[in-house]
Amino acid sequence: MMMEKTCNCEAMTEQEKLKFIQDVIEDYDHDPSSLIQILHVAQNVYGFLPIEVQELIADQLDIPLSRVSGVVSFYSLFTTVPKGKYVIKICLGTACYVRGSKRVIERLEKILKIKLGETTEDLKYSLEITRCMGACGLAPAMSINEELYMQVNPDKLLGILENLEGGEA
């Protein structure tokens, strides 16, 4: 079993990031059956999976790029576009929907000036939907980078966003 590697990815140069991914592939003995684990690491390094990184992985594992891209496009947790620093997910499960998550989405779209599935130009916020966060009794629910917010209503959103960094939304 491979030991988890960590990196200070924001401080790394492009060459250092690529070398880090190559080292991870080496740790997995260039085993194509480790593709998903390698993609996870690469996405953690870059925040997304650009085509150049997919090509590197395909080359290092000696598999077709189509196989790598197929896995990336199949699994919803992988993305080929950069995500914001804060990934906001709003639950659209039945309880949350009935209790107003649609209004929460509409307000967030106005505040952030983006639509669902988009990221703000400054790469600060991404807006996504999810199904059931397990907080049905305290619906509607949303998460921001895995922190759960319950009983969210449109009037609470500006305060929540302002408290993320102690700054403005």
Side-chain angles (χ1 to χ4, degrees):
M1 172 156 277
M2 192 198 105
M3 185 179 275
E4 269 308 302
K5 285 185 176 283
T6 58
C7 73
N8 182 11
C9 304
E10 295 82 29
M12 294 172 96
T13 66
E14 183 68 19
Q15 287 179 320
E16 290 170 331
K17 289 178 182 180
L18 293 172
K19 174 74 169 104
F20 184 85
I21 292 168
Q22 287 174 324
D23 290 346
V24 168
I25 294 168
E26 181 69 32
D27 289 344
Y28 278 108
D29 296 323
H30 298 265
D31 183 358
S33 69
S34 299
L35 176 59
I36 290 177
Q37 294 91 328
I38 293 165
L39 288 170
H40 277 290
V41 172
Q43 183 160 288
N44 286 335
V45 169
Y46 280 88
F48 70 112
L49 292 166
I51 191 66
E52 299 81 16
V53 171
Q54 292 179 53
E55 289 170 344
L56 170 77
I57 293 168
D59 182 58
Q60 293 289 308
L61 295 179
D62 196 28
I63 59 176
L65 175 60
S66 60
R67 179 169 167 196
V68 175
S69 296
V71 170
V72 169
S73 64
F74 179 79
Y75 291 103
S76 63
L77 58 105
F78 294 127
T79 181
T80 57
V81 294
K83 296 286 184 182
K85 178 177 183 179
Y86 299 105
V87 178
I88 303 168
K89 296 180 181 180
I90 297 89
C91 180
L92 277 183
T94 303
C96 289
Y97 187 83
V98 168
R99 291 187 181 159
S101 61
K102 184 84 167 122
R103 290 191 324 271
V104 171
I105 292 169
E106 290 167 355
R107 180 67 62 85
L108 280 168
E109 287 178 334
K110 285 182 184 172
I111 291 170
L112 301 175
K113 298 177 177 68
I114 58 174
K115 297 286 184 197
L116 277 175
E118 294 180 347
T119 298
T120 57
E121 284 186 25
D122 62 2
L123 296 179
K124 190 168 183 182
Y125 300 101
S126 292
L127 189 56
E128 301 177 354
I129 60 167
T130 188
R131 304 279 182 215
C132 197
M133 296 179 157
C136 304
L138 297 169
M142 76 175 192
S143 68
I144 302 177
N145 293 357
E146 309 309 320
E147 183 173 342
L148 190 61
Y149 296 82
M150 295 166 281
Q151 294 180 319
V152 177
N153 70 55
D155 297 330
K156 292 181 178 180
L157 294 172
L158 274 177
I160 291 169
L161 295 175
E162 288 171 355
N163 285 327
L164 289 175
E165 287 187 65
E168 295 180 23

